[in-house]
Amino acid sequence: MFPHKILVTGGLGFIGSHTVVELQQAGYEVIILDDLSNSQLFILDRIKAITGIAPKFYQLNMLEEDKLHQLFLQEENIAAVIHFAAHKAVGESVAEPIKYFHNNLYALINLLRCMEQFGANNLVFSSSATVYGDPDELPIRETTVFKKAMSAYGSTKQMGEEIIEKTCAAKPINAIALRYFNPVGAHNSGLIGELPLGIPNNLMPYITQTAAGIRKQLLVYGNDYDTPDGTCIRDYIHVVDLAKAHVKSCDRLISKNNSEKYETYNIGTGKGYSVMEIINAFEAFNHLQLNYSISARRPGDAKAMYADVSKAGKHLGWKASLGLQDMVTSAWYWQQQLSNAH
Ligand code: UD1
């Protein structure tokens, strides 16, 4: 019996690379497609260094439908596709909405067309908690009503989900959309992790770069929210736990255990931490001090977001196992490896 073949688009990115490692370690054969627009080729060697297996790699932009078509022609019997490849910078998406709609939606549409044509009928979609907008209820359930997306990036995730849902209703395709809360941390080998382009927007890479002396000072965006310490609350999830949710999703689709043709799952720990709790944990567990100060609120930030993760537990058999200490220590270890390499 040959191992099942999984096509991972965006497989050299932050979440993609960790997912490739977990898939290989679970016995899947992995094919990576990536255009290297926001990732680096050396990650391919790092994956091999961790697992001992070199994944097959196609450097390809999914907007080039002919080339995508060629890939499907060449790779027979793709058991499932995990689709990560997308632009993801929230601020840039507000400034350049067309760039985001064009890239993220056409890539998905081209992929679905190829999947339909070649009978590759299982899809795991990289969605985001951003689909909920600023939610009315906490914890957030999969049934929580979507509010208006706060960025074009968020709109592409909402629209992406809708495109997939409608396609599943009409075609033999089955899909699982995973709505990630706040992915952080890195592989404990220190060989793969997040590689933000330029100045990071997200909290954890900003913290690690400040600790490494690359950034002078971390700004805490507001301490006057209606939360216990006044700073915003998020559901941070270790990227290795997150990667494992993709393996479980492939297992479920390939074994035809899904109860609906299109399913959605929140992927978080279910526990919210404030910005100050993250800073304090980072300092305490890594034995260092961060230079930070309180500044004004960042426009568009929700006061608090954390998931009800019971559906993923019940149907995917998945639950986060790594806690805050693992998140902050692995993120810092990765940053140190990166800083040493330069
Ligand atoms: C952001 C995006 C979200 C995307 C996610 C990907 C926005 C509004 N949301 O989520 O759409 O899916 O990243 O990971 O951009 N913070 C600081 N100082 C900083 C950076 C962040 O105080 O330098 C605070 C923020 O105010 C927020 C928390 O840290 O309360 C987390 O911020 P971030 O890591 O950017 O994630 P989100 O905003 O939750």
Side-chain angles (χ1 to χ4, degrees), residues 156-177:
T156 67
K157 292 297 178 191
Q158 288 183 343
M159 291 161 138
E161 284 204 17
E162 187 158 359
I163 290 167
I164 295 167
E165 183 175 13
K166 299 273 191 295
T167 304
C168 289
K171 305 288 178 183
I173 291 174
N174 288 263
I176 290 178

Side-chain angles (χ1 to χ4, degrees), residues 1 29 37-38 51 56 67 85 131 137 204 216 237 242 259 279 296 304 330 332:
M1 179 71 188
E29 178 188 343
S37 61
N38 189 17
T51 64
K56 198 160 172 188
K67 290 190 181 157
V131 297
E137 61 171 359
M204 192 60 82
K216 270 208 179 70
I237 169 83
L242 178 55
S259 35
I279 292 173
S330 64
W332 178 227

Side-chain angles (χ1 to χ4, degrees), residues 38-166:
N38 189 17
S39 59
Q40 308 241 6
L41 201 51
F42 76 82
I43 295 296
L44 202 55
D45 300 328
R46 298 292 180 86
I47 291 169
K48 190 183 170 206
I50 296 170
T51 64
I53 307 162
K56 198 160 172 188
F57 172 60
Y58 290 85
Q59 185 176 345
L60 198 152
N61 183 312
M62 298 178 72
L63 299 186
E64 297 183 82
E65 196 178 1
D66 286 354
K67 290 190 181 157
L68 191 60
H69 196 268
Q70 288 298 322
L71 184 156
F72 274 85
L73 262 180
Q74 212 163 318
E75 297 293 343
E76 288 173 350
N77 300 322
I78 292 174
V81 179
I82 307 181
H83 180 44
F84 293 106
H87 292 331
K88 61 168 189 179
V90 176
E92 184 193 41
S93 82
V94 175
E96 300 292 344
I98 301 299
K99 176 177 174 182
Y100 276 67
F101 290 122
H102 183 258
N103 183 74
N104 293 2
L105 298 183
Y106 276 121
L108 174 62
I109 289 166
N110 289 345
L111 176 65
L112 287 168
R113 279 211 282 236
C114 284
M115 288 176 65
E116 187 193 351
Q117 187 177 341
F118 290 92
N121 284 335
N122 295 316
L123 173 66
V124 180
F125 178 59
S126 170
S127 189
S128 165
T130 198
V131 297
Y132 296 111
D134 189 353
D136 280 337
E137 61 171 359
L138 287 172
I140 299 169
R141 292 175 294 171
E142 287 80 358
T143 50
T144 297
V145 176
F146 287 6
K147 304 289 279 296
K148 203 165 179 57
M150 287 180 287
S151 66
Y153 162 76
S155 302
T156 67
K157 292 297 178 191
Q158 288 183 343
M159 291 161 138
E161 284 204 17
E162 187 158 359
I163 290 167
I164 295 167
E165 183 175 13
K166 299 273 191 295

Side-chain angles (χ1 to χ4, degrees), residues 90 128 130 182 202-203 219-221 232 234 236 298 301:
V90 176
S128 165
T130 198
N182 288 60
N202 295 117
L203 179 63
L219 296 178
V220 175
Y221 295 140
C232 291
R234 294 289 181 273
Y236 296 90
R298 181 171 69 177
D301 275 344

